[in-house]
Amino acid sequence: MTKDQIFEFFRRLAEDNPSPETELEYGNCYQLVVAVALSAQATDVGVNKATRALFHEVTTPAQMIELGEDGLKEHIKTIGLFNSKAKNVIALSQLLVDEYGGEVPDTREDLVRLPGVGRKTANVVLNCWFGQETFAVDTHIFRVGNRTGLAKGKTPDHVEAKLEKRVPQPFRLGAHHWLILHGRYVCKARTPECWRCKVADLCSYRKKVLEKPKGR
């Protein structure tokens, strides 16, 4: 995509959804960290179902530690990899209490020190809570970046670097939300719904599905 095409790409997505947000449910920064850590290889819908009761009971790292690993597992046992995720959440909570006074740090370097928190999770927290212009490349953004020609790369880090370089203002803060939602609901993995895509004419994908399949 050219610079003009990229600007128009995001302009249309922004026009359609002026205030994009994560679909994960949370009440504070700590709960956001936990929710994003739990969302690896799981759907936001599944995580939200598991965390509604949990977050009513637990709002701080200290409360999570008090709940304990077994108690946490009872809440999140419907989520994939819940055993290892529970272990990580208790460990990250302990680290927050021991080294950060129970507060979530606002730098990527500190966030990725937390067990179960990688670069993608850190970027989500920095963007959603701290308002930093980060690009959290999940499977949806990786696919959309490569498929459309917006940001081609062989790894999520490569795609992130391309987005960092190419996404213009005033779209940088909301860009990763627009891309995730576009990949989740329109530019789907198996069959992209190009027939209802607002940016199809800007996209370089050669196998566009321009007619709605029968039965849909």
Side-chain angles (χ1 to χ4, degrees):
M1 286 189 193
T2 66
K3 287 184 178 181
D4 288 345
Q5 287 175 322
I6 291 172
F7 189 93
E8 179 63 13
F9 179 94
F10 283 108
R11 189 200 66 77
R12 293 183 196 177
L13 295 182
E15 183 179 56
D16 188 51
N17 182 6
S19 302
E21 297 178 345
T22 177
E23 293 186 318
L24 289 170
E25 297 172 1
Y26 60 95
N28 60 32
C29 189
Y30 170 68
Q31 290 181 339
L32 174 62
V33 172
V34 173
V36 181
L38 294 176
S39 71
Q41 299 182 49
T43 65
D44 288 0
V45 171
V47 171
N48 289 338
K49 286 181 179 179
T51 58
R52 281 179 191 133
L54 172 66
F55 288 166
H56 183 73
E57 181 179 347
V58 174
T59 61
T60 68
Q63 289 174 340
M64 187 69 79
I65 295 167
E66 185 177 350
L67 176 65
E69 191 172 328
D70 289 339
L72 177 55
K73 285 180 182 178
E74 282 300 308
H75 281 282
I76 67 169
K77 59 187 178 183
T78 56
I79 300 176
L81 307 174
F82 72 93
N83 283 312
S84 60
K85 289 178 180 179
K87 183 176 181 179
N88 282 334
V89 168
I90 296 299
L92 75 82
S93 301
Q94 190 68 60
L95 187 61
L96 287 174
V97 168
D98 291 345
E99 298 192 23
Y100 297 97
E103 299 294 323
V104 177
D106 62 357
T107 69
R108 184 184 291 113
E109 292 73 22
D110 283 325
L111 284 167
V112 297
R113 291 187 62 219
L114 303 175
V117 175
R119 185 179 180 88
K120 184 189 77 172
T121 297
N123 281 344
V124 172
V125 174
L126 292 172
N127 182 276
C128 294
W129 190 263
F130 295 107
Q132 296 185 25
E133 296 171 355
T134 59
F135 304 91
V137 179
D138 68 349
T139 55
H140 296 301
I141 293 183
F142 185 77
R143 179 177 66 256
V144 171
N146 277 285
R147 181 183 277 169
T148 62
L150 171 67
K152 291 188 175 183
K154 293 182 178 180
T155 69
D157 284 351
H158 289 159
V159 171
E160 181 184 343
K162 287 282 186 67
L163 291 171
E164 183 68 49
K165 183 178 180 180
R166 305 190 78 188
V167 176
Q169 294 290 12
F171 308 115
R172 292 178 66 82
L173 185 61
H176 101 264
H177 292 299
W178 284 310
L179 293 173
I180 286 173
L181 295 171
H182 189 64
R184 183 174 290 162
Y185 296 113
V186 180
C187 196
K188 299 177 181 179
R190 290 188 178 181
T191 305
E193 298 181 1
C194 309
W195 68 87
R196 65 182 191 90
C197 176
K198 295 182 180 297
V199 292
D201 59 308
L202 303 172
C203 170
S204 64
Y205 187 50
R206 294 181 179 179
K207 300 178 181 179
K208 290 187 178 75
V209 184
L210 296 174
E211 292 187 9
K212 184 178 181 180
K214 294 180 180 180
R216 289 205 171 203

